[in-house]
Amino acid sequence: MNAELFMREAIKEADAGLRGGRGGPFGCVIVRKGEIVARGNNRVTSTNDPTAHAEVTAIREACAALKTFQLDDCELYTSCEPCPMCLAAIYWARIPQVFYGNTRGDAAAIGFDDDFIYQQIPLPPEQRAIAMQPLLRDEALGTFKAWQTKADKVRY
């Protein structure tokens, strides 16, 4: 399959989720060595899970299927430019290439405006719309110190 065929599969996932009443009009496939290893569509409203975006559901499925938390030999095809959360998940999964159909501007035009989050990310925590306050840092650092010295930790 070529890139256009994989993108068409992502679009089919978006259509299937929309028509099945699972959530918003977003779909995704993850490809490894020329084969689809995972599929996802938006399931936010059907699962009451605000993190159940198409890319996140596909990443979860791919990691489970491949028994790994790093997808560094995969490509991700998504029907829309990833939102900030999905983009972060893509980075965490180490996916090196993303293809997308619709732009975030296209999504904004139908009521999915992620621009607010994009604007919030670079702000210092005290300037964000969500109140953020440091608390008990000295106690929390204890767990970080334990991680730092843990001999059998799995790095990610």
Side-chain angles (χ1 to χ4, degrees):
M1 288 185 123
N2 64 27
E4 290 178 0
L5 292 174
F6 291 130
M7 180 57 71
R8 286 187 180 102
E9 290 298 311
I11 294 167
K12 284 181 190 175
E13 284 298 316
D15 288 338
L18 174 70
R19 296 184 199 299
R22 290 189 283 276
F26 305 98
C28 179
V29 297
I30 296 178
V31 175
R32 181 175 181 243
K33 297 178 182 176
E35 294 198 19
I36 295 173
V37 295
R39 297 172 176 272
N41 49 52
N42 184 289
R43 297 172 185 204
V44 170
T45 58
S46 62
T47 62
N48 295 316
D49 179 356
T51 69
H53 290 199
E55 297 90 337
V56 172
T57 59
I59 288 169
R60 289 173 181 164
E61 184 178 299
C63 289
L66 298 173
K67 297 181 181 3
T68 182
F69 54 83
Q70 292 193 348
L71 303 174
D72 54 1
D73 59 350
C74 296
E75 302 163 346
L76 186 142
Y77 295 80
T78 180
S79 64
C80 186
E81 182 178 356
C83 75
M85 176 186 69
C86 292
L87 183 59
I90 290 164
Y91 274 102
W92 279 116
R94 309 291 194 260
I95 298 171
Q97 188 160 25
V98 174
F99 297 89
Y100 61 91
N102 297 308
T103 67
R104 68 190 204 206
D106 297 331
I110 62 166
F112 292 94
D113 192 357
D114 304 328
D115 191 52
F116 173 73
I117 300 170
Y118 278 106
Q119 291 175 16
Q120 291 286 301
I121 290 170
L123 294 176
E126 64 275 6
Q127 291 180 17
R128 293 181 182 148
I130 295 174
M132 299 184 80
Q133 180 178 339
L135 184 63
L136 298 177
R137 179 172 180 250
D138 290 339
E139 289 182 35
L141 280 172
T143 307
F144 273 20
K145 288 176 183 172
W147 169 260
Q148 195 172 20
T149 60
K150 184 174 171 44
D152 62 343
K153 65 185 164 204
V154 176
R155 292 189 176 274
Y156 61 97

